[in-house]
Amino acid sequence: MKTSSILSFCAGLLCALSATSVLAVEAVPEAKPQPLSKRPNIVLILADDLGFTDLASYGSEINTPSLDALANEGIRFTNYHTAANCAPARAMLLTGVDNHRAGVANIPEMTPPQQRHHPAYQGVLGDNVVTVATLLEGAGYRTYMAGKWHLGQTQDKLPSRRGFQRTVAMGDSGADNWEQKPYLPIYEKANWYADGEPIDLPDDFYSSEFLVDKMIGFIESDRPQSEQPFFAYLPFMAVHIPVQAPQEFTDRYEGVYLNGWTALREARRQRAIDLGIVPPDVAAVDMDTSRDWDALSEEDKRFEAKRMAVYAGMVEAMDFHIGRLVTYLKDIGEFDNTVFIFTSDNGSEPSGPAVLNNVRTGILLARQDYTADYDTLGLKGSFVNLGPSFASASASPLAYYKFYVGEGGLRVPMIMAGKPLAVQQKLSNAFAYVADITPTILALTGVSAPDARYAGKPVEQIMGKNLLPLATAELDRVYSDSDYVGYELAGHGVLFQGDYKLVYNRAPVGDNTWRLFNIVADPGETRDLSAEQSGRFQAMLTLYEQYKLDNGVLDPPKGYNHQHQVVLNGLHDRFRAHLLLGLFMIVIAVVFIVIAKHHRSR
């Protein structure tokens, strides 16, 4: 097999290729501590690679009744932003600290060796930050986690050492949803842990069901003996590559997507308008990476429609199992004292083979013990990815997707619901950021944010904002026009300020040009204002450079390609010992050849 094919396959499939950062000016408002018995339970649910309009309550055709019920009872954020991939987003989500400062400027799979010496580019959660779980545990909460971690796999970096009392955690960027199996050849195995120790998965494993079962078990095991409230962190593997779903969920979408990705993108745009998720006159650009649906054969159209049906089935399966958790909490009388926060770690996933149903891709998949047979798509042993065309529909009407800093990579659904919130506003278009989740949880629970020192050592202070005033309609925004939020991913750059966004997307999908958009009026990023508002444009460029300086942002090395870097790092990390042995043997052989030639010449 050609090296270029291996590079393309490995690089195209990796889930987590991004990094982020935040800077907010004002201090986090602190809620007054409440009596322990009055504090609400917190359920923090994180989807993986879910696009902006993948929920029915945001404009999707996918059936998501459990999340829609929460949305109808709570508040939907329509201008909430996260990182462009998983680990940096998770670092900010759980600490409220800029991800560069937390040591997760990038994931280790994607970090070039020239940057690995820098504290911001370690790719694992630093000891200089305190997780929200640690703070809640110290305040008397029971703390649980079930799902994807990807913030470090040494004993001191696992969630059991970062504030979670009971855990089941998948340590990698992704893994199979039906069995304990890596989804990329850069991993030797799928690494799962329970309470800090490696485990083997059961034979009847399906990720969404398994994780909810574990979370219910954690809560139930403590319930008879404890009156303490709980913090439950549930980061699903849905809908990360490989996209897989039980047959009954996929079957519900048979034939739904036969009109293709362009029609789907437009239908979602219109539904999002009708729901008030985006402005009535929202414009949208078509991504160059979307293929021409009409140019496909009827057989290919049928295959692609099935591919999206599996994706929809996986989203609905996740929603179904969230519903099981909600029902359990109602049954034990805890639902009315629980606040739910649901969001995604980043936008929709474009990576992997653009075409699955051809001989070349079949050979590549077979090397990982996968197939892409139409009849078994989504089932055990099959491999499905969304691809860039349907990823654009998933993000509709936004531009770009995961790994890029257009709105489609950063803007995702975010729902907060629960009686303790006393929600007065159902929709908020105020800017919100992933680093705001931790300070919001602290305000809800009456727990103080850490000072400059915690547990006898200096720590980074929280930079995010408390979002509760938006839910209660006390405020219509929590970021002032002078506040700014910076973000960086492997040379892609963003600065948010007020209603405006300064953005730079690198090639090959981006155009290597700084642009300025009003993302409240123009969330589709169709009208570049950099010339029209040149003063604002230059001022925001200056702020971005200051942000880089303040947060230790490094420019990528010349010629850097994040896809190739994933493969190079994977080869180094997995096969380093074999490569070194091979190199040693080559050196020895060369020495013997030189000696032999020398003796023959005498």
Side-chain angles (χ1 to χ4, degrees):
M1 182 182 307
K2 293 182 179 180
T3 302
S4 61
S5 297
I6 299 174
L7 287 172
S8 175
F9 174 65
C10 294
L13 300 186
L14 186 68
C15 140
L17 311 176
S18 135
T20 20
S21 298
V22 63
L23 180 65
V25 179
E26 299 172 11
V28 178
E30 292 186 8
K32 294 180 180 179
Q34 306 172 41
L36 189 61
S37 62
K38 298 293 184 182
R39 293 181 183 180
N41 307 311
I42 306 294
V43 176
L44 175 58
I45 304 172
L46 189 67
D48 200 330
D49 299 348
L50 191 77
F52 182 59
T53 50
D54 273 338
L55 303 182
S57 54
Y58 278 77
S60 180
E61 72 294 336
I62 300 173
N63 186 37
T64 52
S66 302
L67 289 168
D68 296 343
L70 293 176
N72 291 334
E73 296 168 4
I75 178 172
R76 280 171 290 168
F77 290 81
T78 63
N79 193 9
Y80 169 83
H81 293 77
T82 180
N85 81 339
C86 57
R90 291 157 200 263
M92 290 191 284
L93 181 82
L94 293 174
T95 68
V97 174
D98 176 277
N99 62 296
H100 284 76
R101 290 181 174 274
V104 196
N106 207 334
I107 59 169
E109 292 92 338
M110 184 178 154
T111 304
Q114 298 94 321
Q115 295 180 341
R116 289 186 175 186
H117 68 282
H118 195 283
Y121 289 79
Q122 299 305 298
V124 297
L125 197 62
D127 294 330
N128 61 332
V129 291
V130 185
T131 70
V132 65
T134 296
L135 296 171
L136 293 180
E137 181 187 29
Y141 269 72
R142 294 172 284 154
T143 56
Y144 311 123
M145 179 201 157
K148 174 177 163 180
W149 178 243
H150 200 212
L151 289 171
Q153 296 191 51
T154 57
Q155 280 291 322
D156 60 320
K157 298 298 183 184
L158 288 171
S160 52
R161 296 288 186 90
R162 303 309 300 252
F164 292 98
Q165 297 164 347
R166 297 298 314 279
T167 67
V168 59
M170 197 275 292
D172 307 317
S173 68
D176 196 272
N177 294 283
W178 289 111
E179 54 188 320
Q180 193 157 356
K181 171 180 169 180
Y183 79 111
L184 283 178
I186 65 171
Y187 299 115
E188 184 176 355
K189 62 180 181 177
N191 294 286
W192 283 85
Y193 305 88
D195 299 331
E197 298 298 328
I199 60 166
D200 294 324
L201 297 176
D203 292 337
D204 61 350
F205 171 78
Y206 177 69
S207 64
S208 294
E209 180 178 22
F210 175 79
L211 297 176
V212 170
D213 283 348
K214 287 295 182 182
M215 186 58 72
I216 290 174
F218 291 157
I219 297 170
E220 182 64 21
S221 65
D222 286 339
R223 186 172 64 87
Q225 296 84 28
S226 177
E227 295 298 321
Q228 295 172 296
F230 62 82
F231 170 55
Y233 175 44
L234 186 60
F236 281 95
M237 293 169 66
V239 274
H240 185 280
I241 293 174
V243 178
Q244 298 164 318
Q247 190 67 54
E248 62 268 27
F249 289 100
T250 299
D251 286 347
R252 296 171 190 177
Y253 299 93
E254 183 177 358
V256 169
Y257 300 107
L258 285 172
N259 289 330
W261 35 71
T262 303
L264 179 62
R265 183 169 166 83
E266 175 56 27
R268 287 197 179 186
R269 185 187 76 90
Q270 189 57 56
R271 279 194 294 267
I273 290 172
D274 295 342
L275 291 168
I277 301 299
V278 294
D281 57 349
V282 63
V285 296
D286 293 326
M287 294 296 297
D288 292 339
T289 51
S290 293
R291 291 187 288 161
D292 181 357
W293 180 263
D294 293 333
L296 301 183
S297 68
E298 291 304 312
E299 180 183 353
D300 286 344
K301 288 178 180 179
R302 180 170 172 264
F303 186 91
E304 293 298 328
K306 177 72 175 287
R307 203 169 166 181
M308 183 65 194
V310 175
Y311 181 88
M314 194 175 191
V315 173
E316 184 173 341
M318 176 185 67
D319 182 89
F320 172 81
H321 291 294
I322 290 171
R324 291 175 49 229
L325 177 60
V326 169
T327 298
Y328 167 75
L329 294 177
K330 289 179 178 178
D331 290 344
I332 65 172
E334 291 290 348
F335 178 79
D336 287 345
N337 191 42
T338 299
V339 172
F340 296 86
I341 302 174
F342 172 87
T343 189
S344 177
D345 60 348
N346 48 250
S348 48
E349 164 71 270
S351 295
V355 179
L356 270 180
N357 56 331
N358 61 20
V359 174
R360 175 180 172 275
T361 303
I363 294 172
L364 291 171
L365 293 178
R367 290 180 175 271
Q368 281 295 104
D369 195 26
Y370 279 117
T371 68
D373 298 333
Y374 179 89
D375 291 337
T376 58
L377 279 183
L379 301 182
K380 186 175 181 178
S382 81
F383 185 98
V384 179
N385 66 308
L386 196 56
S389 299
F390 270 127
S392 286
S394 170
S396 178
L398 309 177
Y400 291 92
Y401 27 60
K402 181 182 176 182
F403 311 137
Y404 292 88
V405 294
E407 287 294 277
L410 305 181
R411 190 186 296 214
V412 295
M414 204 270 274
I415 297 167
M416 291 174 55
K419 287 189 177 180
L421 280 175
V423 168
Q424 299 296 314
Q425 182 176 204
K426 295 298 184 181
L427 282 174
S428 174
N429 195 36
F431 175 81
Y433 196 60
V434 61
D436 302 333
I437 299 299
T438 280
T440 301
I441 292 173
L442 296 182
L444 275 165
T445 57
V447 176
S448 297
D451 294 321
R453 294 183 66 84
Y454 184 87
K457 61 183 180 182
V459 295
E460 295 287 343
Q461 293 183 274
I462 288 174
M463 295 178 177
K465 303 268 191 177
N466 170 20
L467 300 177
L468 292 186
L470 298 176
T472 60
E474 178 184 345
L475 297 174
D476 60 4
R477 62 173 59 194
V478 295
Y479 284 88
S480 72
D481 287 339
S482 63
D483 291 339
Y484 65 93
V485 171
Y487 173 97
E488 185 271 347
L489 156 66
H492 305 292
V494 170
L495 189 110
F496 298 99
Q497 187 176 40
D499 293 344
Y500 293 87
K501 174 186 176 184
L502 177 77
V503 59
Y504 180 93
N505 282 294
R506 297 181 69 214
V509 176
D511 59 6
N512 296 326
T513 302
W514 282 104
R515 300 190 182 278
L516 178 68
F517 298 103
N518 181 322
I519 56 169
V520 173
D522 179 27
E525 295 175 299
T526 63
R527 184 183 176 192
D528 181 9
L529 303 174
S530 57
E532 183 179 330
Q533 299 191 33
S534 58
R536 182 188 300 274
F537 178 65
Q538 292 299 326
M540 291 180 70
L541 278 173
T542 300
L543 288 175
Y544 180 75
E545 290 303 317
Q546 186 62 50
Y547 160 75
K548 288 177 62 178
L549 184 64
D550 291 343
N551 292 277
V553 176
L554 303 179
D555 291 327
K558 185 177 180 180
Y560 173 81
N561 180 295
H562 69 262
Q563 294 180 331
H564 291 173
Q565 194 65 57
V566 170
V567 179
L568 293 173
N569 286 351
L571 290 172
H572 177 270
D573 294 342
R574 183 174 175 187
F575 301 111
R576 176 174 49 188
H578 299 288
L579 293 173
L580 288 175
L581 178 60
L583 181 61
F584 176 74
M585 296 301 293
I586 290 172
V587 170
I588 293 297
V590 169
V591 170
F592 275 108
I593 290 171
V594 171
I595 292 174
K597 285 184 176 180
H598 176 71
H599 281 291
R600 283 198 300 269
S601 65
R602 291 181 62 183

mmCIF file with all atom_site columns, all heavy atoms in Angstrom, residues 460-476:
data_model
loop_
_atom_site.group_PDB
_atom_site.id
_atom_site.type_symbol
_atom_site.label_atom_id
_atom_site.label_alt_id
_atom_site.label_comp_id
_atom_site.label_asym_id
_atom_site.label_entity_id
_atom_site.label_seq_id
_atom_site.pdbx_PDB_ins_code
_atom_site.Cartn_x
_atom_site.Cartn_y
_atom_site.Cartn_z
_atom_site.occupancy
_atom_site.B_iso_or_equiv
_atom_site.pdbx_formal_charge
_atom_site.auth_seq_id
_atom_site.auth_comp_id
_atom_site.auth_asym_id
_atom_site.auth_atom_id
_atom_site.pdbx_PDB_model_num
ATOM 1   N N   . GLU A 1 460 ? -4.005  28.296 37.933 1.00 0.00 ? 460 GLU A N   1
ATOM 2   C CA  . GLU A 1 460 ? -4.602  29.260 37.021 1.00 0.00 ? 460 GLU A CA  1
ATOM 3   C C   . GLU A 1 460 ? -6.014  29.610 37.502 1.00 0.00 ? 460 GLU A C   1
ATOM 4   O O   . GLU A 1 460 ? -6.759  28.735 37.943 1.00 0.00 ? 460 GLU A O   1
ATOM 5   C CB  . GLU A 1 460 ? -4.680  28.684 35.608 1.00 0.00 ? 460 GLU A CB  1
ATOM 6   C CG  . GLU A 1 460 ? -3.337  28.419 34.973 1.00 0.00 ? 460 GLU A CG  1
ATOM 7   C CD  . GLU A 1 460 ? -2.637  29.692 34.554 1.00 0.00 ? 460 GLU A CD  1
ATOM 8   O OE1 . GLU A 1 460 ? -3.307  30.741 34.448 1.00 0.00 ? 460 GLU A OE1 1
ATOM 9   O OE2 . GLU A 1 460 ? -1.410  29.637 34.324 1.00 0.00 ? 460 GLU A OE2 1
ATOM 10  N N   . GLN A 1 461 ? -6.363  30.865 37.403 1.00 0.00 ? 461 GLN A N   1
ATOM 11  C CA  . GLN A 1 461 ? -7.684  31.286 37.821 1.00 0.00 ? 461 GLN A CA  1
ATOM 12  C C   . GLN A 1 461 ? -8.682  31.196 36.665 1.00 0.00 ? 461 GLN A C   1
ATOM 13  O O   . GLN A 1 461 ? -8.324  31.312 35.493 1.00 0.00 ? 461 GLN A O   1
ATOM 14  C CB  . GLN A 1 461 ? -7.629  32.718 38.371 1.00 0.00 ? 461 GLN A CB  1
ATOM 15  C CG  . GLN A 1 461 ? -6.838  32.814 39.666 1.00 0.00 ? 461 GLN A CG  1
ATOM 16  C CD  . GLN A 1 461 ? -6.860  34.203 40.241 1.00 0.00 ? 461 GLN A CD  1
ATOM 17  O OE1 . GLN A 1 461 ? -6.050  35.046 39.893 1.00 0.00 ? 461 GLN A OE1 1
ATOM 18  N NE2 . GLN A 1 461 ? -7.811  34.451 41.124 1.00 0.00 ? 461 GLN A NE2 1
ATOM 19  N N   . ILE A 1 462 ? -9.940  30.993 37.029 1.00 0.00 ? 462 ILE A N   1
ATOM 20  C CA  . ILE A 1 462 ? -11.008 30.859 36.044 1.00 0.00 ? 462 ILE A CA  1
ATOM 21  C C   . ILE A 1 462 ? -11.167 32.157 35.264 1.00 0.00 ? 462 ILE A C   1
ATOM 22  O O   . ILE A 1 462 ? -11.158 33.247 35.826 1.00 0.00 ? 462 ILE A O   1
ATOM 23  C CB  . ILE A 1 462 ? -12.327 30.464 36.747 1.00 0.00 ? 462 ILE A CB  1
ATOM 24  C CG1 . ILE A 1 462 ? -12.235 29.011 37.214 1.00 0.00 ? 462 ILE A CG1 1
ATOM 25  C CG2 . ILE A 1 462 ? -13.528 30.675 35.847 1.00 0.00 ? 462 ILE A CG2 1
ATOM 26  C CD1 . ILE A 1 462 ? -13.407 28.553 38.040 1.00 0.00 ? 462 ILE A CD1 1
ATOM 27  N N   . MET A 1 463 ? -11.339 32.036 33.960 1.00 0.00 ? 463 MET A N   1
ATOM 28  C CA  . MET A 1 463 ? -11.506 33.183 33.083 1.00 0.00 ? 463 MET A CA  1
ATOM 29  C C   . MET A 1 463 ? -12.912 33.278 32.499 1.00 0.00 ? 463 MET A C   1
ATOM 30  O O   . MET A 1 463 ? -13.263 34.297 31.913 1.00 0.00 ? 463 MET A O   1
ATOM 31  C CB  . MET A 1 463 ? -10.492 33.115 31.940 1.00 0.00 ? 463 MET A CB  1
ATOM 32  C CG  . MET A 1 463 ? -9.064  33.230 32.409 1.00 0.00 ? 463 MET A CG  1
ATOM 33  S SD  . MET A 1 463 ? -7.908  33.082 31.025 1.00 0.00 ? 463 MET A SD  1
ATOM 34  C CE  . MET A 1 463 ? -6.350  33.340 31.881 1.00 0.00 ? 463 MET A CE  1
ATOM 35  N N   . GLY A 1 464 ? -13.694 32.203 32.604 1.00 0.00 ? 464 GLY A N   1
ATOM 36  C CA  . GLY A 1 464 ? -15.030 32.197 32.041 1.00 0.00 ? 464 GLY A CA  1
ATOM 37  C C   . GLY A 1 464 ? -16.006 33.018 32.854 1.00 0.00 ? 464 GLY A C   1
ATOM 38  O O   . GLY A 1 464 ? -15.687 33.554 33.917 1.00 0.00 ? 464 GLY A O   1
ATOM 39  N N   . LYS A 1 465 ? -17.249 33.094 32.359 1.00 0.00 ? 465 LYS A N   1
ATOM 40  C CA  . LYS A 1 465 ? -18.302 33.898 32.968 1.00 0.00 ? 465 LYS A CA  1
ATOM 41  C C   . LYS A 1 465 ? -19.437 33.021 33.475 1.00 0.00 ? 465 LYS A C   1
ATOM 42  O O   . LYS A 1 465 ? -19.693 31.939 32.945 1.00 0.00 ? 465 LYS A O   1
ATOM 43  C CB  . LYS A 1 465 ? -18.880 34.865 31.931 1.00 0.00 ? 465 LYS A CB  1
ATOM 44  C CG  . LYS A 1 465 ? -17.858 35.789 31.296 1.00 0.00 ? 465 LYS A CG  1
ATOM 45  C CD  . LYS A 1 465 ? -17.753 37.073 32.037 1.00 0.00 ? 465 LYS A CD  1
ATOM 46  C CE  . LYS A 1 465 ? -16.940 38.086 31.239 1.00 0.00 ? 465 LYS A CE  1
ATOM 47  N NZ  . LYS A 1 465 ? -16.872 39.383 31.886 1.00 0.00 ? 465 LYS A NZ  1
ATOM 48  N N   . ASN A 1 466 ? -20.150 33.519 34.466 1.00 0.00 ? 466 ASN A N   1
ATOM 49  C CA  . ASN A 1 466 ? -21.355 32.873 34.971 1.00 0.00 ? 466 ASN A CA  1
ATOM 50  C C   . ASN A 1 466 ? -22.521 33.213 34.044 1.00 0.00 ? 466 ASN A C   1
ATOM 51  O O   . ASN A 1 466 ? -22.863 34.385 33.858 1.00 0.00 ? 466 ASN A O   1
ATOM 52  C CB  . ASN A 1 466 ? -21.618 33.362 36.400 1.00 0.00 ? 466 ASN A CB  1
ATOM 53  C CG  . ASN A 1 466 ? -22.971 32.933 36.927 1.00 0.00 ? 466 ASN A CG  1
ATOM 54  O OD1 . ASN A 1 466 ? -23.587 31.999 36.423 1.00 0.00 ? 466 ASN A OD1 1
ATOM 55  N ND2 . ASN A 1 466 ? -23.450 33.634 37.948 1.00 0.00 ? 466 ASN A ND2 1
ATOM 56  N N   . LEU A 1 467 ? -23.160 32.188 33.464 1.00 0.00 ? 467 LEU A N   1
ATOM 57  C CA  . LEU A 1 467 ? -24.231 32.391 32.494 1.00 0.00 ? 467 LEU A CA  1
ATOM 58  C C   . LEU A 1 467 ? -25.631 32.441 33.115 1.00 0.00 ? 467 LEU A C   1
ATOM 59  O O   . LEU A 1 467 ? -26.610 32.659 32.390 1.00 0.00 ? 467 LEU A O   1
ATOM 60  C CB  . LEU A 1 467 ? -24.199 31.276 31.442 1.00 0.00 ? 467 LEU A CB  1
ATOM 61  C CG  . LEU A 1 467 ? -22.918 31.151 30.613 1.00 0.00 ? 467 LEU A CG  1
ATOM 62  C CD1 . LEU A 1 467 ? -23.021 29.960 29.669 1.00 0.00 ? 467 LEU A CD1 1
ATOM 63  C CD2 . LEU A 1 467 ? -22.631 32.434 29.836 1.00 0.00 ? 467 LEU A CD2 1
ATOM 64  N N   . LEU A 1 468 ? -25.753 32.253 34.413 1.00 0.00 ? 468 LEU A N   1
ATOM 65  C CA  . LEU A 1 468 ? -27.077 32.199 35.036 1.00 0.00 ? 468 LEU A CA  1
ATOM 66  C C   . LEU A 1 468 ? -27.912 33.455 34.801 1.00 0.00 ? 468 LEU A C   1
ATOM 67  O O   . LEU A 1 468 ? -29.134 33.344 34.605 1.00 0.00 ? 468 LEU A O   1
ATOM 68  C CB  . LEU A 1 468 ? -26.946 31.940 36.539 1.00 0.00 ? 468 LEU A CB  1
ATOM 69  C CG  . LEU A 1 468 ? -26.436 30.561 36.955 1.00 0.00 ? 468 LEU A CG  1
ATOM 70  C CD1 . LEU A 1 468 ? -26.499 30.405 38.463 1.00 0.00 ? 468 LEU A CD1 1
ATOM 71  C CD2 . LEU A 1 468 ? -27.228 29.461 36.273 1.00 0.00 ? 468 LEU A CD2 1
ATOM 72  N N   . PRO A 1 469 ? -27.334 34.656 34.810 1.00 0.00 ? 469 PRO A N   1
ATOM 73  C CA  . PRO A 1 469 ? -28.174 35.836 34.553 1.00 0.00 ? 469 PRO A CA  1
ATOM 74  C C   . PRO A 1 469 ? -28.885 35.816 33.204 1.00 0.00 ? 469 PRO A C   1
ATOM 75  O O   . PRO A 1 469 ? -29.905 36.476 33.037 1.00 0.00 ? 469 PRO A O   1
ATOM 76  C CB  . PRO A 1 469 ? -27.171 36.998 34.640 1.00 0.00 ? 469 PRO A CB  1
ATOM 77  C CG  . PRO A 1 469 ? -26.080 36.497 35.525 1.00 0.00 ? 469 PRO A CG  1
ATOM 78  C CD  . PRO A 1 469 ? -25.961 35.048 35.192 1.00 0.00 ? 469 PRO A CD  1
ATOM 79  N N   . LEU A 1 470 ? -28.355 35.043 32.244 1.00 0.00 ? 470 LEU A N   1
ATOM 80  C CA  . LEU A 1 470 ? -29.030 34.936 30.956 1.00 0.00 ? 470 LEU A CA  1
ATOM 81  C C   . LEU A 1 470 ? -30.278 34.066 31.067 1.00 0.00 ? 470 LEU A C   1
ATOM 82  O O   . LEU A 1 470 ? -31.304 34.350 30.442 1.00 0.00 ? 470 LEU A O   1
ATOM 83  C CB  . LEU A 1 470 ? -28.077 34.355 29.907 1.00 0.00 ? 470 LEU A CB  1
ATOM 84  C CG  . LEU A 1 470 ? -26.824 35.177 29.613 1.00 0.00 ? 470 LEU A CG  1
ATOM 85  C CD1 . LEU A 1 470 ? -25.932 34.428 28.623 1.00 0.00 ? 470 LEU A CD1 1
ATOM 86  C CD2 . LEU A 1 470 ? -27.178 36.542 29.067 1.00 0.00 ? 470 LEU A CD2 1
ATOM 87  N N   . ALA A 1 471 ? -30.196 33.008 31.866 1.00 0.00 ? 471 ALA A N   1
ATOM 88  C CA  . ALA A 1 471 ? -31.353 32.114 32.030 1.00 0.00 ? 471 ALA A CA  1
ATOM 89  C C   . ALA A 1 471 ? -32.495 32.809 32.754 1.00 0.00 ? 471 ALA A C   1
ATOM 90  O O   . ALA A 1 471 ? -33.671 32.608 32.436 1.00 0.00 ? 471 ALA A O   1
ATOM 91  C CB  . ALA A 1 471 ? -30.936 30.855 32.776 1.00 0.00 ? 471 ALA A CB  1
ATOM 92  N N   . THR A 1 472 ? -32.165 33.624 33.734 1.00 0.00 ? 472 THR A N   1
ATOM 93  C CA  . THR A 1 472 ? -33.197 34.303 34.526 1.00 0.00 ? 472 THR A CA  1
ATOM 94  C C   . THR A 1 472 ? -33.618 35.631 33.918 1.00 0.00 ? 472 THR A C   1
ATOM 95  O O   . THR A 1 472 ? -34.456 36.332 34.497 1.00 0.00 ? 472 THR A O   1
ATOM 96  C CB  . THR A 1 472 ? -32.676 34.547 35.946 1.00 0.00 ? 472 THR A CB  1
ATOM 97  O OG1 . THR A 1 472 ? -31.490 35.369 35.893 1.00 0.00 ? 472 THR A OG1 1
ATOM 98  C CG2 . THR A 1 472 ? -32.339 33.232 36.640 1.00 0.00 ? 472 THR A CG2 1
ATOM 99  N N   . ALA A 1 473 ? -33.026 35.984 32.774 1.00 0.00 ? 473 ALA A N   1
ATOM 100 C CA  . ALA A 1 473 ? -33.317 37.243 32.069 1.00 0.00 ? 473 ALA A CA  1
ATOM 101 C C   . ALA A 1 473 ? -32.916 38.466 32.876 1.00 0.00 ? 473 ALA A C   1
ATOM 102 O O   . ALA A 1 473 ? -33.363 39.573 32.609 1.00 0.00 ? 473 ALA A O   1
ATOM 103 C CB  . ALA A 1 473 ? -34.797 37.330 31.687 1.00 0.00 ? 473 ALA A CB  1
ATOM 104 N N   . GLU A 1 474 ? -32.037 38.264 33.858 1.00 0.00 ? 474 GLU A N   1
ATOM 105 C CA  . GLU A 1 474 ? -31.497 39.390 34.621 1.00 0.00 ? 474 GLU A CA  1
ATOM 106 C C   . GLU A 1 474 ? -30.622 40.265 33.731 1.00 0.00 ? 474 GLU A C   1
ATOM 107 O O   . GLU A 1 474 ? -30.583 41.486 33.882 1.00 0.00 ? 474 GLU A O   1
ATOM 108 C CB  . GLU A 1 474 ? -30.703 38.853 35.811 1.00 0.00 ? 474 GLU A CB  1
ATOM 109 C CG  . GLU A 1 474 ? -30.054 39.911 36.669 1.00 0.00 ? 474 GLU A CG  1
ATOM 110 C CD  . GLU A 1 474 ? -29.207 39.316 37.786 1.00 0.00 ? 474 GLU A CD  1
ATOM 111 O OE1 . GLU A 1 474 ? -29.338 38.110 38.072 1.00 0.00 ? 474 GLU A OE1 1
ATOM 112 O OE2 . GLU A 1 474 ? -28.406 40.061 38.371 1.00 0.00 ? 474 GLU A OE2 1
ATOM 113 N N   . LEU A 1 475 ? -29.903 39.618 32.814 1.00 0.00 ? 475 LEU A N   1
ATOM 114 C CA  . LEU A 1 475 ? -29.061 40.316 31.841 1.00 0.00 ? 475 LEU A CA  1
ATOM 115 C C   . LEU A 1 475 ? -29.335 39.762 30.456 1.00 0.00 ? 475 LEU A C   1
ATOM 116 O O   . LEU A 1 475 ? -29.766 38.611 30.308 1.00 0.00 ? 475 LEU A O   1
ATOM 117 C CB  . LEU A 1 475 ? -27.576 40.126 32.177 1.00 0.00 ? 475 LEU A CB  1
ATOM 118 C CG  . LEU A 1 475 ? -27.047 40.684 33.497 1.00 0.00 ? 475 LEU A CG  1
ATOM 119 C CD1 . LEU A 1 475 ? -25.600 40.259 33.695 1.00 0.00 ? 475 LEU A CD1 1
ATOM 120 C CD2 . LEU A 1 475 ? -27.165 42.195 33.551 1.00 0.00 ? 475 LEU A CD2 1
ATOM 121 N N   . ASP A 1 476 ? -29.076 40.565 29.432 1.00 0.00 ? 476 ASP A N   1
ATOM 122 C CA  . ASP A 1 476 ? -29.207 40.043 28.070 1.00 0.00 ? 476 ASP A CA  1
ATOM 123 C C   . ASP A 1 476 ? -27.853 39.676 27.480 1.00 0.00 ? 476 ASP A C   1
ATOM 124 O O   . ASP A 1 476 ? -27.784 39.110 26.388 1.00 0.00 ? 476 ASP A O   1
ATOM 125 C CB  . ASP A 1 476 ? -29.936 41.033 27.165 1.00 0.00 ? 476 ASP A CB  1
ATOM 126 C CG  . ASP A 1 476 ? -29.225 42.378 27.053 1.00 0.00 ? 476 ASP A CG  1
ATOM 127 O OD1 . ASP A 1 476 ? -28.117 42.518 27.625 1.00 0.00 ? 476 ASP A OD1 1
ATOM 128 O OD2 . ASP A 1 476 ? -29.784 43.280 26.417 1.00 0.00 ? 476 ASP A OD2 1
#
